[in-house]
């Protein structure tokens, strides 16, 4: 299943302005700005689409998109992140980082209770970060493996000591990256088969009431939530609606109040934008910030030659892809970094379509057109994530034909695609990955040579290897000085853009539709995966 | 035997069948000359996307990527006819051979073949076709194979019935007495005499095969390198509210072709089985 500069960059400033002169700024939609109403009302039910239905809601064990959206209201992490990806308090009320970048000290809220009434303390944090997550959560395992020690001086303080500086560490505490798991239910058990997995117990503002498989997941207000008066809503229903047309219709008719990620197909977005009862935004995906690309297997000739990859880059019109295939959702990617990811260098100019340059590069390689105008034949296996990706495959086939590269399209299903790509059994495919806010967390993994691991999806499956890139990513990841770090990330972007290890397509955007009745919905960089503690219903 | 003019006279009495033949003739011409009429590949994005019909340079409009719908229909005709004819051919080969053996030899052979046939008949056609194409990855060959595999059982039963009844006729008995080999009897004596119902059902089967291929392509299980009508409808169904023409014209092409083949089947039935025709009308 198929992602960017944000037009809402200045929203924080805009909402400050709104506070000062509320009467003059009716254009700031309230669903993405802090509450302006004097007294948000308690009560109300929100209906949200969830698609596909999550396999489980234990967020430590499963981090698929739909699981995150639902379980983000049940579980919490120590931190959350604003739209610039700077940390905000969640279960941790404050934190400090030592000057050498080695010691991270978190102070926890003191009156937090698990949904079963037991108190939440530093013991739970220790259990989650040293035992539970390292065993079952690969991203968390990699992050916490950088710690020399994790200790709890008292019930409400946790200290992480790193082996070497890793400034990206501050972005490792979001709810899906490191959800807090109750020690009293899991300590000493078989985590994956614990019966408690079916009845998730978290600290979040909503509790699981009922889950009717194939129909809905019902969350109710956590009456003992540690922030007095919150949350405002009484119920959240997540409705399972497998058919795309039915999802659009449910939103249009007001049966559901929110859709996110891929719920609404790009071709329906323009139509739904016109629906008066709905607000539309592409904000709230800054933390995941995906970039899509054509993934190229460097083990296959002539794909190992960077001139060939550049020729592909020049042969395609990425604005057309954005406008006609994604119906305007997204921005042309200049290179490996999403523009909302830390370290992004805005001075990099994206490749523009230039058929002559593409042909010249192929000529230079000695690939002359044969009688049929074909210089080389490659196999393209589009991601089996729905028809938008299929259209992209068809578009690429025609574009590459113009420069003499014949493309044979291959079909596959999701399991087959993962199997073939992770085992390097492909020539070209389409792909995208989440960047998790920091290049050390979500970008370097695609390009560094020590992440060429057969059988592992979303690793360096291309087999790209450049010692300079390895060195720069490694050095930048442990550089404490922001200016030096930026210089290294800028350099690595330039090297990568020249090497074209993959052909970047778009900074993808996901459409979020929210009923205008609800306020404070998209407030941070993790958007729809937030706790929704401060979402409230306008008085009718 | 009927004379050929008698055959045509009987066929032409069915006005629908003549109409069907005309339409199919047009489709065949379109398929044969698609390369001349539309020299560009039907996948080529020749025009602006979302052009309505009767636009400049796009008689039937363009699709979401700017591909010419008219070119798609002409090239799709080739794919549809090819799939229809080849898969029917393969199904005939399997079905008639097995049916002939069962009907001719009877006994244990008949039992074995018929139980095997029933095995296939218990599985819904379309579901089996989807599974087969999904397993063997979509390509022209796997689609033809899948359609043939799900289509042969009715032919086998039909052929068996014909063979069973003809087997005991005098001319077959005579052939046996004169010492003709089993193969000769099957191929030269019985088969020509059982052809008329087989031809009628084969013409209907071409229609079913085209429909099956369209359905598979509609579901995204078509050959990704071949333009086909089902693919066009499937790809355009998502924008049907913005652009009706993208799914309407290929849909119309499927409807007319399949309808025409059915009408032809009926006409053939009238012409080949004059005693059965027009009963109760």
């Amino acid at each position: 299943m198929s992602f960017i500069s944000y037009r809402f960059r200045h929203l924080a400033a805009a909402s400050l302005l709104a506070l000062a002169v509320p009467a003059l700024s009716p254009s700031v939609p309230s669903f993405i700005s802090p509450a302006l109403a004097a007294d948000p009302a308690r009560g109300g039910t929100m209906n949200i689409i969830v698609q596909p239905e999550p396999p489980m809601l234990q967020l430590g064990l499963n981090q698929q998109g739909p699981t995150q959206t639902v379980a983000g209201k049940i579980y919490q992490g120590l931190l959350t992140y604003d739209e610039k990806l700077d940390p905000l308090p969640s279960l941790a009320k404050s934190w400090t980082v030592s000057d050498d970048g080695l010691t991270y000290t978190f102070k926890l809220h003191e009156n937090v209770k698990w949904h079963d009434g037991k108190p939440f303390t530093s013991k739970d944090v220790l259990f989650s970060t040293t035992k539970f997550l390292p065993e079952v959560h690969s991203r968390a395992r990699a992050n916490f493996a950088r710690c020399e020690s994790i200790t709890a001086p008292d019930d409400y303080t946790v200290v992480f000591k790193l082996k070497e500086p890793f400034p990206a560490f501050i972005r490792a505490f979001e709810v899906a990256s490191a959800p807090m798991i109750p020690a009293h239910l899991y300590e000493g058990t078989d985590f994956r088969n614990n019966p408690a997995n079916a009845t998730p117990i978290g600290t979040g503002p909503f509790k699981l009431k009922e889950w009717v498989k194939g129909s809905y997941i019902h969350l109710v207000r956590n009456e003992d939530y540690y922030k007095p008066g919150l949350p405002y809503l009484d119920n959240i229903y997540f409705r399972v609606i497998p058919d795309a047309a039915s999802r659009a219709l449910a939103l249009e008719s007001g049966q559901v109040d929110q859709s996110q990620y891929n719920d609404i197909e790009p071709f329906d977005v323009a139509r739904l934008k016109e629906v008066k009862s709905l607000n539309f935004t592409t904000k709230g995906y800054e933390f995941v910030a995906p970039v899509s690309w054509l993934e190229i297997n460097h083990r296959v000739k002539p794909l190992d030659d960077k001139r060939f990859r550049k020729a592909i880059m020049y042969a395609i019109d990425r604005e057309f892809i954005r406008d006609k295939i994604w119906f305007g959702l997204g921005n042309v990617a200049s290179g490996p970094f999403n523009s909302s990811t830390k370290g992004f260098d805005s001075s990099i100019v994206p490749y523009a379509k230039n058929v002559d340059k593409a042909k010249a590069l192929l000529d230079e390689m000695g690939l002359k057109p044969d009688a049929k105008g074909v210089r080389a034949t490659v196999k393209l296996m589009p991601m089996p994530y729905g028809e938008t990706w299929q259209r992209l495959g068809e578009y690429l086939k025609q574009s590459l034909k113009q420069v003499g590269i014949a493309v044979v399209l291959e079909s596959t299903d999701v399991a087959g695609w993962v199997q073939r790509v992770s085992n390097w059994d492909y020539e070209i495919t389409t792909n995208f990955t989440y960047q998790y806010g920091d290049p050390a967390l979500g970008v370097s993994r695609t390009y560094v040579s020590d992440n060429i691991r057969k059988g592992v999806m979303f690793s360096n499956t291309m087999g790209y290897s450049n010692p300079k890139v390895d060195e720069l990513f490694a050095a930048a990841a442990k550089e404490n000085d922001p200016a030096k770090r930026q210089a290294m990330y800028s350099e690595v972007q330039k090297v990568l853009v020249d090497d074209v290890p993959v052909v970047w397509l778009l900074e993808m955007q996901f459409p979020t539709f929210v009923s205008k009745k609800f306020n404070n919905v998209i407030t941070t960089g993790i958007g729809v995966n937030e706790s929704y503690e401060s979402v409230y219903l306008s008085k009718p | 035997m009927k004379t050929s003019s008698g055959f045509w006279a009987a066929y032409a009495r069915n006005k629908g069948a003549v109409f069907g033949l005309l339409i199919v003739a047009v489709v065949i011409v379109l398929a044969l000359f698609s390369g001349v009429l539309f020299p560009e590949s039907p996948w080529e994005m020749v025009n602006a996307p979302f052009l309505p019909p009767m636009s400049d340079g796009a008689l039937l409009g363009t699709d979401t990527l700017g591909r010419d719908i008219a070119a798609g229909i002409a090239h799709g005709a080739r794919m549809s006819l090819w799939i229809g004819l080849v898969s029917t051919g393969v199904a005939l080969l399997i079905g008639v051979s097995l049916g002939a053996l069962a009907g001719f030899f009877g006994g244990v052979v008949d039992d074995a073949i018929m139980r095997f046939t029933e095995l296939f008949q218990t599985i819904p056609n379309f579901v089996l076709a989807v599974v087969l194409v999904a397993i063997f990855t979509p390509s022209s060959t796997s689609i033809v194979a899948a359609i043939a595999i799900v289509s042969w059982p009715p032919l086998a039963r039909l052929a068996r019935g014909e063979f069973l009844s003809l087997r005991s006729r005098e001319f077959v008995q005579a052939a046996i007495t004169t010492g003709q080999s089993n193969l000769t009897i099957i191929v030269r004596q019985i088969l020509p005499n059982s052809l008329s119902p087989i031809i009628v059902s084969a013409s209907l089967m071409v229609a079913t095969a085209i429909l099956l291929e369209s359905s598979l392509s509609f579901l995204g299980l078509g050959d990704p390198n071949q333009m086909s009508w089902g693919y066009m409808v499937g790809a355009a169904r998502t924008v049907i509210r913005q652009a009706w023409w993208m799914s309407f014209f290929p849909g119309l092409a499927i409807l007319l072709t399949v309808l025409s083949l059915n009408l032809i089947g009926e006409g053939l039935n009238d012409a080949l089985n004059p005693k059965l025709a027009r009963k109760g009308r």
Side-chain angles (χ1 to χ4, degrees):
Chain A
M1 70 288 184
S2 83
F3 272 21
I4 300 183
S5 89
Y6 284 117
R7 266 166 278 152
F8 298 92
R9 254 302 129 72
H10 304 294
L11 192 90
S15 48
L16 279 177
L17 187 75
L19 278 171
V21 258
L24 293 179
S25 358
S27 63
V28 178
S30 65
F31 79 113
I32 49 171
S33 67
L36 300 178
D39 182 23
R42 253 291 306 277
T45 296
M46 191 170 190
N47 288 288
I48 302 176
I49 294 173
V50 63
Q51 175 58 34
E53 185 167 20
M56 65 184 327
L57 294 176
Q58 218 295 6
L59 189 54
L61 294 172
N62 183 295
Q63 298 91 34
Q64 290 174 9
T67 312
Q68 291 192 30
T69 304
V70 181
K73 293 139 195 74
I74 300 172
Y75 290 94
Q76 292 182 303
L78 293 185
L79 300 175
T80 184
Y81 301 92
D82 66 15
E83 66 212 31
K84 295 204 182 80
L85 302 174
D86 292 325
L88 294 172
S90 183
L91 282 172
K93 60 180 177 186
S94 66
W95 58 94
T96 54
V97 182
S98 66
D99 289 342
D100 60 5
L102 290 175
T103 310
Y104 288 66
T105 308
F106 292 86
K107 292 277 180 201
L108 308 178
H109 280 288
E110 291 174 10
N111 50 351
V112 181
K113 285 199 179 85
W114 293 103
H115 291 163
D116 59 3
K118 298 274 191 317
F120 164 80
T121 65
S122 57
K123 185 167 169 271
D124 296 301
V125 181
L126 281 195
F127 168 72
S128 302
T129 55
T130 61
K131 291 188 182 135
F132 191 93
L133 297 173
E135 185 176 322
V136 299
H137 189 315
S138 59
R139 217 148 34 85
R141 181 189 310 134
N143 290 332
F144 295 117
R146 295 174 181 274
C147 293
E148 192 181 273
S149 71
I150 305 175
T151 51
D154 62 53
D155 269 2
Y156 301 104
T157 309
V158 183
V159 180
F160 295 85
K161 268 206 164 43
L162 300 185
K163 294 171 191 158
E164 57 182 2
F166 184 59
F169 196 63
I170 196 65
R171 269 174 281 281
F173 294 95
E174 168 264 348
V175 59
S177 310
M180 289 302 123
I181 306 297
H184 65 278
L185 293 175
Y186 284 90
E187 186 96 66
T189 66
D190 174 0
F191 302 152
R192 286 186 181 84
N193 297 312
N194 190 318
N197 294 340
T199 52
I201 297 292
T203 57
F206 294 93
K207 305 195 280 191
L208 177 66
K209 169 98 185 285
E210 188 188 15
W211 183 354
V212 178
K213 293 265 160 85
S215 181
Y216 63 85
I217 300 169
H218 180 190
L219 306 187
V220 290
R221 184 175 193 271
N222 174 7
E223 301 293 340
D224 294 327
Y225 194 53
Y226 65 94
K227 292 184 183 171
L230 295 182
Y232 296 119
L233 296 177
D234 285 335
N235 300 284
I236 301 180
Y237 283 91
F238 287 91
R239 305 275 175 192
V240 181
I241 309 179
D243 176 60
S246 311
R247 288 197 293 276
L249 208 61
L251 204 56
E252 230 175 331
S253 64
Q255 286 171 343
V256 296
D257 305 307
Q258 185 192 313
S259 71
Q260 62 276 330
Y261 282 93
N262 297 309
D263 290 346
I264 298 301
E265 301 278 355
F267 47 79
D268 275 332
V269 168
R271 184 164 59 80
L272 290 177
K273 270 182 180 173
E274 303 299 316
V275 175
K276 297 244 180 324
S277 60
L278 296 173
N279 277 314
F280 166 79
T281 185
T282 53
K283 240 177 76 75
Y285 299 100
E286 290 82 358
F287 191 77
V288 290
V291 169
S292 60
W293 60 64
L294 272 186
E295 189 154 317
I296 293 173
N297 192 340
H298 293 213
R299 300 166 191 88
V300 179
K301 285 194 183 312
L303 304 174
D304 57 334
D305 191 319
K306 80 173 175 190
R307 290 173 296 183
F308 194 83
R309 303 194 296 267
K310 268 188 188 164
I312 297 179
M313 195 65 139
Y314 281 123
I316 59 178
D317 181 351
R318 294 182 291 167
E319 310 215 324
F320 181 94
I321 293 175
R322 192 254 325 264
D323 294 339
K324 301 300 178 201
I325 301 179
W326 262 269
F327 293 84
L329 283 174
N331 289 301
V332 169
S334 63
F337 286 46
N338 187 304
S339 54
S340 58
T341 300
K342 295 281 176 187
F344 172 73
D345 187 333
S346 58
S347 71
I348 291 170
V349 183
Y351 285 81
K353 181 176 178 174
N354 189 330
V355 171
D356 294 335
K357 272 193 187 165
K359 285 182 180 161
L361 283 163
L362 295 170
D363 282 339
E364 192 188 315
M365 286 174 69
L367 295 171
K368 301 286 180 201
D370 67 7
K372 285 182 174 168
V374 176
R375 298 166 188 264
T377 303
V378 295
K379 289 185 189 148
L380 170 65
M381 175 170 64
M383 260 176 126
Y385 277 29
E387 63 181 291
T388 307
W389 295 95
Q390 193 59 40
R391 281 306 86 70
L392 174 66
E394 291 159 10
Y395 168 79
L396 292 167
K397 177 176 170 152
Q398 292 310 312
S399 305
L400 295 180
K401 195 177 139 195
Q402 292 174 354
V403 299
I405 301 174
V407 174
V408 179
L409 290 175
E410 297 182 288
S411 296
T412 181
D413 57 5
V414 176
W417 177 72
V418 170
Q419 163 78 16
R420 287 188 56 187
V421 175
S422 61
N423 287 297
W424 312 338
D425 176 22
Y426 72 102
E427 290 190 4
I428 302 182
T429 185
T430 42
N431 201 351
F432 68 90
T433 62
Y434 293 161
Q435 303 204 330
Y436 304 117
D438 197 290
L441 300 177
V443 181
S444 63
R445 61 178 173 155
T446 309
Y447 306 102
V448 295
S449 54
D450 61 8
N451 204 24
I452 301 177
R453 293 189 289 162
K454 198 168 190 169
V456 180
M457 198 55 190
F458 307 119
S459 58
N460 180 350
T461 38
M462 303 88 72
Y464 169 69
S465 174
N466 181 340
K468 181 83 186 156
V469 169
D470 291 353
E471 192 185 302
L472 281 166
F473 269 125
K478 49 179 121 149
E479 179 54 62
N480 273 327
D481 180 347
K484 284 188 190 156
R485 192 163 68 230
Q486 181 60 54
M488 291 182 210
Y489 280 137
S490 291
E491 194 182 345
V492 82
Q493 284 170 77
K494 292 196 176 87
V495 176
L496 284 170
V497 167
D498 184 59
D499 271 354
V500 201
V502 299
V503 173
W504 301 284
L505 300 171
L506 301 179
E507 297 184 337
M508 298 166 76
Q509 285 178 341
F510 297 110
T512 300
F513 287 98
V514 183
S515 158
K516 286 188 176 158
K517 291 186 291 186
F518 292 91
N519 306 280
N520 271 0
V521 179
I522 305 299
T523 52
T524 70
I526 68 166
V528 296
N529 297 345
E530 265 299 345
S531 72
Y532 281 25
E533 60 177 21
S534 58
V535 174
Y536 69 94
L537 191 58
S538 298
K539 284 175 191 154
Chain B
M1 283 299 281
K2 289 181 288 286
T3 61
S4 75
S5 67
F7 172 84
W8 278 113
Y11 184 90
R13 267 203 299 278
N14 186 335
K15 294 284 176 291
V18 176
F19 168 78
L21 199 62
L22 273 175
I23 297 286
V24 169
V26 170
V27 174
I28 290 172
V29 169
L30 206 58
L32 288 177
F33 293 98
S34 59
V36 183
L37 292 167
F38 301 97
E40 293 274 356
S41 152
W43 297 97
E44 205 69 62
M45 292 160 284
V46 287
N47 226 320
F50 283 94
L51 283 183
M54 311 303 287
S55 302
D56 229 10
L59 185 65
L60 301 182
T62 60
D63 74 357
T64 51
L65 293 183
R67 298 175 293 214
D68 190 352
I69 306 258
I73 287 182
H75 286 264
R78 186 179 279 193
M79 179 69 178
S80 291
L81 285 184
W82 187 82
I83 295 269
L85 292 174
V86 176
S87 55
T88 303
V90 177
L92 275 175
L93 198 69
I94 307 174
V96 173
S97 314
L98 288 178
L101 292 177
F104 185 79
F105 291 107
V108 184
V109 179
D110 185 24
D111 273 349
I113 291 177
M114 281 304 112
R115 293 303 86 76
F116 181 65
T117 310
E118 279 160 12
L119 189 71
F120 278 85
Q121 289 197 301
T122 52
I123 309 170
N125 274 359
F126 189 59
V127 176
L128 183 58
V130 166
V131 169
L132 289 172
V133 173
I135 292 173
F136 296 110
T137 73
S139 70
S140 307
T141 325
S142 67
I143 292 169
V144 164
I147 294 178
I149 287 172
V150 302
S151 308
W152 66 266
L155 283 175
R157 298 190 74 97
L158 183 68
R160 170 181 175 268
E162 288 294 313
F163 270 69
L164 217 53
S165 79
L166 293 175
R167 170 109 179 56
S168 50
R169 299 283 182 85
E170 279 98 357
F171 71 94
V172 178
Q173 299 301 328
I176 294 173
T177 346
T178 55
Q180 290 184 14
S181 73
N182 287 339
L183 184 69
T184 318
I185 297 173
I186 290 176
V187 177
R188 311 241 339 239
Q189 304 292 346
I190 309 184
L191 191 59
N193 285 295
S194 60
L195 268 186
S196 30
I198 292 176
I199 288 175
V200 172
S201 37
S203 75
L204 297 175
M205 193 157 286
V206 176
T208 320
I210 290 178
L211 215 50
L212 263 176
E213 189 276 332
S214 298
S215 314
L216 287 170
S217 300
F218 177 83
L219 292 179
L221 287 169
D223 185 330
N225 296 294
Q226 299 287 341
M227 183 59 83
S228 99
W229 294 338
Y231 160 81
M232 293 172 77
V233 179
R237 117 188 151 268
T238 50
V239 289
I240 196 162
R241 291 172 67 161
Q242 292 103 301
W244 58 271
W245 61 90
M246 295 180 196
S247 35
F248 176 78
F249 291 115
L252 191 67
I254 297 174
L255 172 75
L256 284 178
T257 311
V258 171
L259 179 69
S260 303
L261 285 165
N262 276 296
L263 291 172
I264 290 178
E266 204 173 284
L268 285 175
N269 197 28
D270 287 357
L272 295 171
N273 302 311
K275 291 194 192 98
L276 293 173
R278 305 285 147 196
K279 233 177 221 172
R281 290 192 199 175

